Amino acid sequence: MLLYCYTAGAFALNPSHDTLIAKDGFAASELDLRPYINSLSDKEGHLTVQQVTHLPFTPSPQLFHDYKKNNGQINNCWLQLKAKNEGTTPLNVILFAGWHDFMYWYEKPPGDTARLLMQTGLMADRGGVERWDHYGFNINIPPHQSRTFYLHIINKSYNENPLTPTLFSEQAFARFHNRQQDTYRKETVVIQVLLGMLLVFFSISVINYIQLPDKSYIYFAIYILGLILFFALRLESKPYQLSFFHRWPMLKYYWDIPGLLFCFYLMYLMFGNTFLNLKERYPFMEQVFAWVSTIVGGLIIVCMYCILMEQYHLPVIIYSYVYFCTLIPLLVVFVALARRSRHHPLVRFFLYGSVCLYLACLGSFLMHIRPLGLLSALGELAAPSMLLIGGVLLQAMFFLAGLSYRNKLVHLERTRTQELLIKQLNKNKELQRKLNEQLEELVKEQTTEILRKKQELEEQRKIQLETEYDKKLTEIELKAIRAQINPHFIFNCLNSIQLFVMQRDYEYAQKYLSDFSYLIRKTLDFSRRNFISLADEIIYLNTYLGLEKMRFENRMEYEIVVDPEIATAELEIPAMLLQPYVENAVKHGMTNPQQPIGHLSIHFNQVAADMLECVIADNGIGIARSRSLRTLPQHHQSSGMEMSQNRAELLNKMYNTEIHIEIIDRSARNEEDSGTVVRILIPQL
């Protein structure tokens, strides 16, 4: 009562002017300024201090509160304080209104414009490890003068810190500072101890990962690192506590709700997935964990984007939905894991740690419901309450104990495996000794057999040399036959070119020469090879028949039909085997006076898995009639078909194949029919 009376004597309120009047004998105590302060709301946020000085201020008792409050919107307000010093000494006091996001302190002398004295705020202050003095605003008034002060407060966070403007003398402000430090010093010490323990856990997990590379250690280390950053930033919420990140004041907002999602959901799920080896033991639960982790990762990015856009309430809403939507599913997961804990001992460590944090978060949430409401209480889970700190420590301890137990299981498994390997090695040595004895006996027996085999090999070598000699001789004969086939073909083509030149058809002669040069190149190429692909043979025959069709002036038609099941690029046939028969069919098949147009058809059929059939048919005069007419000179003898037959016999002898050639005269079967059919069967090597 004496203190109150003494304070009331130092300050007196003039109700008619709302002016704080200070007289001599000011008491070194504190004064609640709410009755002396008027306010102005700036919802649009466009007012300047020069505009504000001309606007009316009104008392707003509901604006002030001495506890943390959820405003439901951004609070942008101006506070006005009019003070007059009627004493004979200068007035030097300090105004303290709490810790807010942005704070601007202006002074306006009578008849002058307002000027900015100081600016600070939790979202803007980057100065020093302890920033207590940044939030005390000095009021200096000379004797017998008055001043008007304006305090512009902007709280972009919906959960607003206590807003109670209080006036202190310098000595009272120092005592208030000490009381506040004593109040929160224990909390700071607890957080620092927690950070030290988390650093120890982090170091242990890294060392264990080096000894036993396992993803579980990596996820646990990242989880602990996220918790270290999370709790270290909790010291930033009050400027009189030790600060580690004072140079980045916005970092505590970016790692507030996103930090909760990252640590308590994303890394928790990823660690549980690898620690319990859900992919092999519980595939369905592993898929659920993977999907939820992906969704939470996306929500973290969305929350950071909302904070970047200064929508600080949206992350709280997002986290509230995540928290409520996962309460029941987490209980279901805990029950499912509890049923399997007998068969999987690691489940117990994971389950105990999860339940500890689950209950701690739930208790911390319930503690904040009454002062802040349902939605805002979720945002205050970031507050480092003793319950939450205890839950985090217990969870980290259980998880680390589980990892250590897992190391023990791995070590036991390795020891058991090494013992089995040693036993198997001893068995192998004994078996090796017995085998050596058996091998010595076997070597003695095989020595005699080797000498006998050596004699047999010498005899076989002689036989093989003779066989190779016969094979080379056969190849030489085959090349000689191909050398006979090629000049025969070239001679016939030159006759065709000579005919075009004599007829003065130079355009056809030029085209014929171009195609003929292609045939010469291919003929020389094929003459050096024993086998070519069926695709190359078809292209070669097409080019040749095209030249012959030009020579006969379209009195000739031909077709080449290939079975669709035949892989022409992979199947091989002897080079220059079919050309003599095609050439003979053209020569004798196009001279039938009863047929105005000569028809020639070539069919390739796959008659068996390893047998290719080629059928060459024409509608000419036939073999018997061709011999009776003998249109060629007596001294001329076409030996192309005979050489092809000889070549087929050599190929059969050389490669042990059975190339079969059958020539059929249609007129021999039916006098009304005409033409010749050549059927060639080519086996595949």
Side-chain angles (χ1 to χ4, degrees), residues 131-231:
R131 308 180 300 280
W132 171 267
D133 295 334
H134 293 195
Y135 295 85
F137 304 107
N138 293 321
I139 297 177
N140 300 318
I141 305 176
H144 306 294
Q145 292 189 19
S146 62
R147 293 287 189 273
T148 302
F149 298 94
Y150 296 94
L151 179 59
H152 187 194
I153 297 177
I154 303 174
N155 278 317
K156 295 186 177 181
S157 302
Y158 286 7
N159 284 0
E160 186 178 66
N161 286 322
L163 176 56
T164 306
T166 307
L167 194 65
F168 294 93
S169 66
E170 293 181 356
Q171 296 81 1
F173 190 67
R175 291 194 295 269
F176 176 68
H177 176 204
N178 294 333
R179 291 198 304 270
Q180 292 293 316
Q181 279 190 331
D182 291 339
T183 302
Y184 291 98
R185 184 171 293 153
K186 295 180 180 179
E187 177 184 325
T188 305
V189 171
V190 169
I191 291 179
Q192 292 175 355
V193 171
L194 173 64
L195 294 178
M197 296 181 68
L198 292 177
L199 283 173
V200 172
F201 294 162
F202 176 77
S203 302
I204 293 174
S205 61
V206 172
I207 293 172
N208 287 338
Y209 177 76
I210 295 174
Q211 296 178 351
L212 180 63
D214 189 352
K215 287 185 178 180
S216 301
Y217 290 109
I218 290 295
Y219 291 141
F220 182 73
I222 297 174
Y223 168 67
I224 295 298
L225 198 61
L227 287 176
I228 291 173
L229 180 62
F230 177 79
F231 283 103

Side-chain angles (χ1 to χ4, degrees), residues 257-258 302-304 306-307 311-320:
I257 298 301
V302 172
C303 289
M304 289 189 173
C306 293
I307 295 172
Q311 300 294 326
Y312 299 96
H313 65 292
L314 292 180
V316 178
I317 296 175
I318 292 173
Y319 184 75
S320 64

Side-chain angles (χ1 to χ4, degrees), residues 555-659:
R555 288 184 290 104
M556 166 188 168
E557 292 182 354
Y558 71 92
E559 63 175 350
I560 300 177
V561 182
V562 183
D563 190 348
E565 297 181 356
I566 299 176
T568 58
E570 301 176 359
L571 193 145
E572 291 188 345
I573 63 173
M576 301 297 292
L577 178 65
L578 306 180
Q579 193 273 342
Y581 296 102
V582 175
E583 180 182 355
N584 190 73
V586 171
K587 181 180 295 184
H588 299 291
M590 304 299 113
T591 58
N592 189 356
Q594 298 179 358
Q595 300 289 342
I597 297 177
H599 293 278
L600 174 64
S601 64
I602 303 174
H603 291 262
F604 292 96
N605 302 313
Q606 190 79 38
V607 296
D610 58 348
M611 184 67 68
L612 175 69
E613 178 191 46
C614 177
V615 179
I616 305 171
D618 63 73
N619 62 344
I621 58 179
I623 298 175
R625 190 176 178 186
S626 175
R627 290 176 179 174
S628 63
L629 292 177
R630 299 299 295 171
T631 57
L632 296 175
Q634 294 294 328
H635 65 275
H636 180 79
Q637 183 177 1
S638 178
S639 59
M641 294 176 62
E642 182 180 356
M643 287 186 292
S644 293
Q645 183 69 34
N646 293 336
R647 185 171 175 231
E649 293 176 358
L650 288 175
L651 288 172
N652 290 336
K653 180 180 178 182
M654 183 176 175
Y655 295 100
N656 194 22
T657 61
E658 295 182 0
I659 299 176

Side-chain angles (χ1 to χ4, degrees), residues 514-576:
S514 176
D515 293 344
F516 176 66
S517 65
Y518 169 79
L519 284 178
I520 291 297
R521 288 195 302 271
K522 287 299 180 182
T523 302
L524 292 175
D525 181 27
F526 294 165
S527 297
R528 292 191 295 269
R529 296 157 57 184
N530 289 334
F531 293 90
I532 62 174
S533 67
L534 180 58
D536 291 339
E537 181 70 18
I538 292 172
I539 296 173
Y540 183 84
L541 294 177
N542 258 321
T543 306
Y544 168 73
L545 292 174
L547 293 175
E548 292 291 357
K549 185 175 181 180
M550 291 171 58
R551 184 167 67 88
F552 283 100
E553 298 179 352
N554 296 325
R555 288 184 290 104
M556 166 188 168
E557 292 182 354
Y558 71 92
E559 63 175 350
I560 300 177
V561 182
V562 183
D563 190 348
E565 297 181 356
I566 299 176
T568 58
E570 301 176 359
L571 193 145
E572 291 188 345
I573 63 173
M576 301 297 292

Side-chain angles (χ1 to χ4, degrees), residues 45-115:
H46 301 313
L47 295 178
T48 63
V49 65
Q50 305 303 332
Q51 294 173 339
V52 166
T53 56
H54 297 88
L55 295 177
F57 281 75
T58 58
S60 300
Q62 70 278 2
L63 180 66
F64 307 110
H65 49 91
D66 54 1
Y67 53 88
K68 202 156 190 176
K69 178 183 176 183
N70 179 262
N71 294 323
Q73 60 182 356
I74 296 175
N75 185 16
N76 189 339
C77 64
W78 292 78
L79 304 182
Q80 182 189 62
L81 174 64
K82 295 179 181 180
K84 182 178 181 181
N85 184 9
E86 293 185 352
T88 58
T89 58
L91 178 64
N92 296 315
V93 289
I94 298 173
L95 184 144
F96 179 77
W99 302 278
H100 305 285
D101 295 343
F102 296 94
M103 304 178 73
Y104 304 90
W105 179 245
Y106 299 91
E107 179 188 24
K108 182 182 181 304
D112 200 353
T113 59
R115 59 189 179 91

Side-chain angles (χ1 to χ4, degrees), residues 276 281-282 285 333-352 405 409:
L276 300 177
R281 296 179 180 272
Y282 318 115
M285 191 177 294
V333 171
F334 294 160
V335 172
L337 291 176
R339 293 182 176 180
R340 295 169 173 82
S341 59
R342 296 181 180 178
H343 308 287
H344 193 358
L346 295 178
V347 172
R348 298 177 185 176
F349 294 97
F350 182 78
L351 188 60
Y352 294 157
Y405 186 75
L409 294 178

Side-chain angles (χ1 to χ4, degrees), residues 449-465:
E449 184 69 18
I450 289 173
L451 294 175
R452 186 180 61 81
K453 291 288 185 182
K454 184 177 180 181
Q455 295 178 355
E456 294 180 358
L457 288 174
E458 289 293 335
E459 295 177 358
Q460 292 179 1
R461 182 181 177 187
K462 293 180 182 179
I463 297 173
Q464 184 178 1
L465 290 175

